[in-house]
Amino acid sequence: MPEPLLRANAVTVTFGGLIALSEVDLEVAPTGITGLIGPNGAGKTTMFNVITGLQRPTGGTVHYDGHDIRRWAPQRRARAGMSRTFQRLEMFVGMSVRDNLRSAWEASVPGGVFGRQAAAGRETVEEILSRLQLHSFADRRAGELPTGICRMVELGRALCTRPRLLLLDEPSSGLDAGETARFQDLLVETTSGDGLGPAVLLVEHDVRLVMDVCQQITVLDFGRRIAAGPPAEVRKDPAVIAAYLGESAA
Amino acid sequence: MSSLLELDRLSVSYGGMTALSQVSLQVPEGCVVALLGSNGAGKTTTLRTISGLVRPAGGDIRFRGRSIAGLPPHRIAALGVVHVPEGRGIFRSLTVIENLQMASYGRAAAGSHRDIEAAVEMFPVLGRRLNQAAGTLSGGEQQMLALARAFAAEPVLLMLDEISMGLAPAINAQLFATIRSVAERGISMLLIEQYVDAALALADYCYVLEKGRIVDVGEPEDLRHSEALTAAYLGAGVT
Amino acid sequence: MLPFIILGLSAGAAYALASIGIVLTYKTTGIFNFAYAGVAMFCAYVFWQLRDRWHLTQWLALPLLLLVVAPLLGVILESLFRLLAATTVEVQIVVSLGLLAFFTTFVTIIWGGNPRLLTSIFPSGKFSPAHDVYVTGDQAGTFLLALAMAGGLYVVLNRTRLGTATRAVVDNRDLAGLVGANANAVGQSAWIISTIFAAMAGVMLSTEEGLVTYVLPALVFFSFAPAVLGRLVNLPLAFVGAIGLGLLDSILAKYNSSGTLAKIETSIPYLALFLLLVAYGRRLTEVRSSLRATGGSRVVVHTGWRNLGWGVAAIIIAVAVVPHAFGASTIQAFAQAMAYAVVALTLVVLTGWTGQISIAQMSFAGIGAFVAAHIAGTNGGLFPLAVLVGIAVAVPVSLVIGIPSLRLSGLFLALATMAFALLMDKLVFASNSITGGLTGLNLTAAKIGPLSFASPTAQFYLCLIALSLAGLGAFWLRQGPIGRRLQMVRDSPNATVTLGASLTATKLAVFAACSAVAAIGGALLAVTQATVVPSNFSFDTSLELLLVVVVGGRSLISGAVIAGGFDLVQLLPLPAAVDKYLPLGIAFSVVAIAREPDGLGRVMVRQLSYALDVLYRRARRPASPPLRRTAPRLVRQKAANRA
């Protein structure tokens, strides 16, 4: 296995008396999709927040591309190629879909906010709009779109920063079965294909989706890592089955 | 069998997104009913709507035959609907004894010294920490405190939302044993539990939710090996 | 020394009541009540009316005030702010500032601006606890009563069911509801207690300083610093801080017989407020921030050439009409209004577009104006240099204010700018050597190269060009990447940082740029006013400008023009009554429409179109069900879609 793009070692987060994460290890390969699953409250979103810098860990280290990024502000991590979506939508509701994507591109390019390389930016944005089939919504205001489209816009926004590591937090929540299937196709298409796509870390409650698309899966339960490996191994792991269904099912 | 709580085609939406659609379920007097389903299926929303934290978009909620849909939470609590919400079910900055005293706030009849004493007897560890700020308790103790407060409130209907969340198995076993003893005294319950096994062991009757709809109902024995339930949690083809 | 300590204790006690009142409502309902000073002043005047005008006995007047008037006011305020619970912090601040203006103008209208004496509610006479040391009845009474009220509140909060419930609501509002505590009732009782404390503080402070409409609010603002010392949530710390402030104030007064320290002394509370913001830094977090709407603001980018067309048309009409149709003084008034509009535009960018509240834009304008007057006062040719120097002064000052406060939530920029504006009033604008005292400085013949701006017409063109450039510049920025960046920061701070943009850097750059433009606007004001007077750049004028921008429409460039246009009202031959009640009307409108970033004009158009819509529908389908509750939103939605 090649050197991982992201490596978290013994990450611990405590809130008051509650331990949200306890010495969690996590590795994300430079290509492909890594899944992060676990029951409710297992600490998945907290782990995401630690990786993207919105939550400072109580202990442990996070290395990204060989750098210790513990002290990096979120925007610095973003500029180094990390990009994420949110479980609870964080749209720029006052802007059109196209402007949501353009602003993301501008934020990721030095001087973008002063109009540098504007032509290249426009090209990237249009390309991603058509790849995600968002063209028919491009001029609609983001605040008035249904959840399914918003999830796509958040994905598009993240892709506009041309990430090396894409973190998706529950991207299928609020989507119906058809939308989920379409999302799954897009995800696979975006990341595999020419091998130039970003590495993906996927937090997802739809276990079916995770089992289908991920090459590696890490399972958290009550803030600890209880399993890690390829989907076929993980789904047979007694600890995982116990975590989801209870002891006797294992 | 008379129904204590009845949801009649209840629908809820958050900002254009449908969280629950046409959910109908019943909690008969003296029964334990479990809501099962994966994350985001709408279980927590169901409880929050019953207790008045979320306003329903359609349908009705009847408690002892009377509609309570749209009432503010404190009015619903006053009827004896006691809801221990997911995650933080305690007031962290209040002391343990003050947390327990809050049990009586909405129900004048409840939360007497005897009730509090009885609740503390169930969890002796709390008795040693009555004047400590609740936020300084360990995770398991915090959840015990949340349960103790709920018991002291003399619930007519007790709603528990994932009290096992983020706790070690040994503590969960203790919590479930206590819940079982309370259930055996005939208190009606509606509970959400991520540990399906524990839920099935406690419940008289289960509803399985998926994407805001009820997809399966039945007694625990029927559901234990149900394809729908396993699929809802682990995806198809596990067994 | 001892007499000064006694004096300090009694003054500090009055501040302490106010600090506690402010903290109490903030921690229970999440509302920082900028109007607290107005409430305190209003209550003090009511007491004067009851006791000294209507000659009620004090033992009737005081209970009437504390048990009837103040609680009633508290209930009204609580229900008003409850409506705003789910809005942004920006809207809440705008409303409380509108209320502050409402109470101060209301008091001036009812009771006039003349100072009045309010005798102490405590027995006169004095006693001597030590040799040569005297304590007056007022001093002892003030201190003991404040101590008793604070102690009483402490007992209520820690020993009663209401107190436990209050702390439970502060801790976790949803859960409090689930266990049966009525969070709204708890909030209401907090507002009632807070208003009672405001009333008592108002009466105590008026006893010391007299009932003066322009002094009393400033005294209550003193209590903001102790409130921040308690990080806006810690009642005992706020109390101790207020007492300490009173002592410090009084002890400084002792060493201040020469008077050189006088200005420093009165500005200590504002300096302290500012230093506390620096010292606490990120430890100052907002309570209940989770409850606040982070996104969902209805500010929409108004793009399109039609809007630009309106702007160009307005410029053409102004050029075609004003210089030819009016006399010199009117033309000058137009010039001045446009200079105000330039400053107002900075508030549109700050408040409407980025969601930050500054109550100091006129102070920045004042920097520009006085620098211009100093440099170009005798030699008008130096005016361009003067403008540059004004900017060079304003920008570093804005960074000093912005760096500590912009890392924090919007509330703290509002507090920091307020402290800055009041500091400027006390330290800089009050200094004769800087501002020439009450008579001000002259700037009569500003020139840019060969062009002289001595004549009103020339001033008119200067200001028109400046306003047009500023407006077009803002319009252009709004369409481009910078406009999108501002909207990002406003709509979702979390998404903004995780996409690679820095929140603090963005806000800071905007704040600095707005300060620079405000300084230019100030230099223009200096040109049009010829005599630069400190009172034109006080905290009050900054507040007024913010309020008229809200009325004009804080998300619209035209809103700034409308705000400047309010300056022209004085030209109209209006009845005296209109003149008198206009500020009250503005304050009232601000409170009423604070949620509407598009201002009063658009609200009225919207309401009118809705009314016509309903009438039309009623005429066609008499049996249609009433749509009162849902229709306005639909109409708004349609209006937004069209725009």
Side-chain angles (χ1 to χ4, degrees):
Chain A
M1 189 175 157
E3 182 68 8
L5 177 62
L6 180 90
R7 186 168 52 208
N9 277 329
V11 169
T12 301
V13 174
T14 56
F15 301 112
L18 290 172
I19 298 167
L21 290 176
S22 167
E23 311 216 330
V24 172
D25 295 334
L26 174 71
E27 289 182 356
V28 180
T31 55
I33 305 178
T34 306
L36 181 62
I37 62 171
N40 218 356
K44 300 173 305 253
T45 295
T46 308
M47 191 68 199
F48 250 45
N49 288 341
V50 167
I51 295 170
T52 50
L54 296 179
Q55 169 72 47
R56 190 159 275 201
T58 321
T61 60
V62 182
H63 281 84
Y64 171 76
D65 198 19
H67 302 283
D68 180 356
I69 59 168
R70 263 177 303 173
R71 300 196 155 275
W72 290 18
Q75 59 264 26
R76 185 167 173 201
R77 301 179 196 220
R79 295 233 158 170
M82 279 189 196
S83 203
R84 75 173 282 184
T85 66
F86 293 86
Q87 180 182 8
R88 212 184 127 225
L89 289 169
E90 294 268 1
M91 302 288 284
F92 303 133
V93 292
M95 286 191 259
S96 68
V97 168
R98 179 179 279 116
D99 279 355
N100 264 270
L101 268 60
R102 281 167 84 177
S103 56
W105 186 87
E106 286 152 7
S108 69
V109 172
V113 72
F114 301 113
R116 273 186 58 189
Q117 305 176 38
R122 214 167 296 134
E123 205 173 292
T124 311
V125 167
E126 297 307 317
E127 190 259 313
I128 288 169
L129 280 176
S130 53
R131 200 197 314 168
L132 301 188
Q133 299 164 24
L134 283 170
H135 257 305
S136 51
F137 303 99
D139 295 315
R140 296 273 298 278
R141 195 157 62 84
E144 60 193 29
L145 294 172
T147 311
I149 305 298
C150 290
R151 295 261 175 231
M152 288 295 171
V153 175
E154 280 211 354
L155 175 64
R157 215 171 53 181
L159 288 174
C160 276
T161 66
R162 290 155 305 162
R164 294 177 60 197
L165 174 60
L166 181 60
L167 300 111
L168 305 176
D169 194 354
E170 305 265 357
S172 85
S173 87
L175 303 190
D176 63 32
E179 286 171 323
T180 307
R182 203 168 72 101
F183 184 85
Q184 181 174 342
D185 292 344
L186 273 169
L187 187 60
V188 173
E189 187 186 318
T190 304
T191 50
S192 56
D194 47 10
L196 293 173
V200 174
L201 180 61
L202 176 66
V203 163
E204 183 51 65
H205 66 262
D206 187 335
V207 182
R208 238 168 301 184
L209 174 67
V210 174
M211 294 288 175
D212 284 353
V213 301
C214 293
Q215 283 85 53
Q216 290 285 322
I217 294 178
T218 294
V219 188
L220 295 184
D221 194 17
F222 51 90
R224 289 173 192 281
R225 184 170 94 162
I226 57 169
E233 279 175 31
V234 164
R235 71 163 46 149
K236 291 198 194 93
D237 192 315
V240 176
I241 295 171
Y244 274 94
L245 293 180
E247 299 292 345
S248 74
Chain B
M1 199 158 63
S2 67
S3 274
L4 180 66
L5 177 82
E6 191 177 353
L7 305 193
D8 184 9
R9 283 163 292 162
L10 188 69
S11 296
V12 171
S13 55
Y14 293 115
M17 169 176 159
T18 305
L20 293 183
S21 71
Q22 308 264 330
V23 169
S24 296
L25 63 80
Q26 298 188 341
V27 181
E29 193 100 45
C31 283
V32 177
V33 173
L35 282 180
L36 305 173
S38 67
N39 272 359
K43 296 167 295 181
T44 295
T45 304
T46 306
L47 294 202
R48 288 173 64 84
T49 312
I50 295 169
S51 60
L53 290 173
V54 175
R55 291 183 77 87
D60 200 8
I61 307 168
R62 282 186 291 276
F63 183 71
R64 288 182 158 161
R66 189 188 140 199
S67 173
I68 57 166
L71 287 183
H74 65 272
R75 297 270 307 278
I76 294 172
L79 298 171
V81 178
V82 174
H83 178 181
V84 179
E86 100 188 292
R88 234 176 100 188
I90 55 155
F91 300 104
R92 300 171 60 89
S93 62
L94 270 55
T95 63
V96 169
I97 186 76
E98 284 172 337
N99 264 280
L100 292 170
Q101 283 162 350
M102 281 305 290
S104 68
Y105 209 81
R107 282 166 68 67
S112 66
H113 277 298
R114 267 218 349 262
D115 288 329
I116 291 176
E117 272 171 30
V120 170
E121 265 170 37
M122 287 187 193
F123 303 107
V125 65
L126 295 178
R128 295 194 289 275
R129 305 183 174 220
L130 287 179
N131 292 312
Q132 195 171 323
T136 62
L137 300 179
S138 75
E141 289 164 346
Q142 293 189 4
Q143 213 55 285
M144 289 176 198
L145 176 57
L147 280 178
R149 192 197 56 238
F151 298 152
E154 294 190 0
V156 177
L157 172 69
L158 184 57
M159 302 200 294
L160 303 176
D161 192 348
E162 301 219 8
I163 54 151
S164 65
M165 184 152 116
L167 299 179
I171 291 173
N172 281 332
Q174 193 190 342
L175 293 181
F176 288 133
T178 317
I179 293 168
R180 181 186 297 277
S181 74
V182 170
E184 279 162 3
R185 298 206 311 246
I187 290 175
S188 312
M189 287 191 202
L190 178 58
L191 59 90
I192 298 177
E193 188 43 64
Q194 193 76 31
Y195 296 107
V196 181
D197 205 39
L200 293 178
L202 274 170
D204 299 311
Y205 208 71
C206 301
Y207 290 84
V208 182
L209 276 170
E210 201 179 324
K211 304 241 179 219
R213 293 172 189 278
I214 291 189
V215 293
D216 205 354
V217 280
E219 295 184 8
E221 282 314 310
D222 307 332
L223 282 174
R224 198 178 289 273
H225 302 291
S226 137
E227 286 281 321
L229 180 60
T230 319
Y233 280 89
L234 276 189
V238 173
T239 42
Chain C
M1 196 66 184
L2 201 54
F4 288 94
I5 290 179
I6 291 163
L7 204 65
L9 283 178
S10 82
Y15 300 145
L17 288 185
S19 305
I20 287 174
I22 288 166
V23 170
L24 188 63
T25 48
Y26 180 74
K27 68 185 277 181
T28 44
T29 59
I31 304 286
F32 187 90
N33 187 8
F34 281 91
Y36 203 77
V39 174
M41 180 167 75
F42 173 79
C43 289
Y45 272 92
V46 167
F47 179 66
W48 177 84
Q49 182 79 32
L50 291 173
R51 189 188 68 172
D52 296 4
R53 177 64 68 82
W54 290 343
H55 303 292
L56 296 183
T57 153
Q58 179 164 306
W59 302 114
L60 190 56
L62 207 55
L64 262 181
L65 175 71
L66 297 181
L67 303 178
V68 179
V69 177
L72 212 60
L73 201 56
V75 169
I76 293 170
L77 290 173
E78 192 272 339
S79 32
L80 175 66
F81 279 110
R82 193 195 298 172
L83 295 175
L84 302 170
T87 55
T88 56
V89 64
E90 169 215 343
V91 172
Q92 293 167 347
I93 296 173
V94 165
V95 169
S96 77
L97 289 172
L99 281 173
L100 173 63
F102 182 84
F103 280 113
T104 43
T105 48
F106 187 78
V107 163
T108 316
I109 286 172
I110 302 285
W111 287 287
N114 294 334
R116 295 171 202 278
L117 200 70
L118 192 70
T119 53
S120 171
I121 56 170
F122 300 106
S124 58
K126 50 181 98 173
F127 58 96
S128 172
H131 180 62
D132 261 358
V133 174
Y134 294 96
V135 180
T136 66
D138 180 55
Q139 286 166 346
T142 300
F143 184 73
L144 292 177
L145 183 59
L147 202 63
M149 286 175 76
L153 180 64
Y154 185 83
V155 170
V156 166
L157 281 179
N158 289 289
R159 295 279 182 275
T160 66
R161 276 165 63 87
L162 174 66
T164 314
T166 304
R167 286 182 295 127
V169 168
V170 170
D171 188 297
N172 187 339
R173 197 182 172 85
D174 273 0
L175 185 60
L178 290 182
V179 304
N182 182 349
N184 291 335
V186 165
Q188 201 170 50
S189 59
W191 276 89
I192 289 173
I193 294 171
S194 167
T195 312
I196 291 172
F197 275 47
M200 207 58 241
V203 168
M204 287 172 173
L205 290 169
S206 309
T207 313
E208 280 170 37
E209 306 284 337
L211 276 172
V212 195
T213 48
Y214 49 88
V215 170
L216 200 51
L219 285 176
V220 180
F221 291 149
F222 277 22
S223 55
F224 283 14
V228 173
L229 178 72
R231 298 222 305 268
L232 301 182
V233 291
N234 188 328
L235 290 165
L237 205 53
F239 182 86
V240 171
I243 299 282
L245 189 67
L247 281 175
L248 190 65
D249 196 25
S250 160
I251 289 167
L252 270 183
K254 171 178 158 53
Y255 295 106
N256 190 21
S257 44
S258 62
T260 44
L261 282 170
K263 275 177 284 176
I264 308 234
E265 182 204 319
T266 51
S267 50
I268 278 181
Y270 312 126
L271 268 177
L273 173 59
F274 189 72
L275 292 176
L276 284 169
L277 289 183
V278 177
Y280 276 135
R282 288 187 197 269
R283 273 176 292 169
L284 284 169
T285 49
E286 280 231 57
V287 299
R288 290 184 58 200
S289 48
S290 59
L291 230 153
R292 291 232 166 85
T294 46
S297 65
R298 280 222 305 281
V299 172
V300 179
V301 188
H302 295 282
T303 50
W305 298 101
R306 203 178 59 171
N307 290 328
L308 185 64
W310 285 114
V312 173
I315 295 170
I316 292 171
I317 291 170
V319 171
V321 175
V322 177
H324 313 292
F326 299 113
S329 65
T330 306
I331 294 172
Q332 195 160 26
F334 266 96
Q336 185 177 315
M338 288 188 293
Y340 273 118
V342 170
V343 185
L345 193 59
T346 66
L347 280 169
V348 169
V349 175
L350 267 178
T351 307
W353 294 356
T354 13
Q356 303 292 321
I357 303 254
S358 162
I359 331 175
Q361 288 317 97
M362 286 308 291
S363 302
F364 286 113
I367 291 177
F370 282 106
V371 168
H374 268 285
I375 293 180
T378 48
N379 182 354
L382 294 176
F383 182 68
L385 174 72
V387 172
L388 292 178
V389 174
I391 294 172
V393 176
V395 168
V397 169
S398 74
L399 295 181
V400 169
I401 300 165
I403 287 171
S405 56
L406 282 170
R407 293 178 300 167
L408 312 171
S409 97
L411 171 63
F412 296 102
L413 181 70
L415 280 172
T417 50
M418 179 184 157
F420 165 65
L422 290 163
L423 270 178
M424 286 292 282
D425 286 357
K426 300 282 177 198
L427 284 181
V428 179
F429 294 152
S431 154
N432 286 356
S433 55
I434 297 176
T435 61
L438 290 177
T439 52
L441 296 174
N442 291 324
L443 175 69
T444 44
K447 284 187 204 150
I448 297 177
L451 302 170
S452 166
F453 299 103
S455 80
T457 313
Q459 289 169 12
F460 172 80
Y461 283 116
L462 174 68
C463 292
L464 181 66
I465 289 167
L467 178 60
S468 307
L469 287 178
L472 288 172
F475 178 84
W476 178 70
L477 288 178
R478 183 67 163 150
Q479 317 292 322
I482 291 177
R484 285 193 284 275
R485 176 63 56 87
L486 301 190
Q487 189 78 26
M488 283 171 89
V489 168
R490 197 192 160 92
D491 283 353
S492 169
N494 275 341
T496 304
V497 292
T498 52
L499 288 168
S502 162
L503 284 182
T504 311
T506 306
K507 290 190 218 162
L508 200 58
V510 172
F511 187 56
C514 285
S515 311
V517 174
I520 298 173
L524 295 174
L525 277 174
V527 172
T528 61
Q529 290 171 347
T531 308
V532 190
V533 206
S535 63
N536 282 345
F537 302 96
S538 64
F539 168 75
D540 292 343
T541 59
S542 290
L543 179 60
E544 279 161 26
L545 191 68
L546 176 64
L547 299 183
V548 292
V549 167
V550 171
V551 172
R554 64 186 182 279
S555 68
L556 307 172
I557 293 172
S558 60
V561 177
I562 294 171
F566 272 99
D567 196 48
L568 295 173
V569 171
Q570 50 180 325
L571 295 177
L572 301 174
L574 295 173
V578 175
D579 236 14
K580 188 175 170 188
Y581 289 108
L582 185 66
L584 196 68
I586 290 173
F588 183 80
S589 314
V590 166
V591 175
I593 63 152
R595 285 160 178 264
E596 304 286 345
D598 291 350
L600 187 59
R602 292 230 178 172
V603 172
M604 283 163 71
V605 168
R606 218 176 275 154
Q607 291 301 325
L608 198 67
S609 72
Y610 165 62
L612 290 175
D613 201 41
V614 168
L615 284 176
Y616 173 72
R617 223 175 296 172
R618 191 167 294 166
R620 282 186 59 191
R621 279 181 298 157
S624 72
L627 289 165
R628 282 195 68 84
R629 287 199 68 82
T630 53
R633 182 164 298 154
L634 282 175
V635 173
R636 280 202 298 270
Q637 195 79 51
K638 279 183 204 153
N641 291 350
R642 276 197 297 272

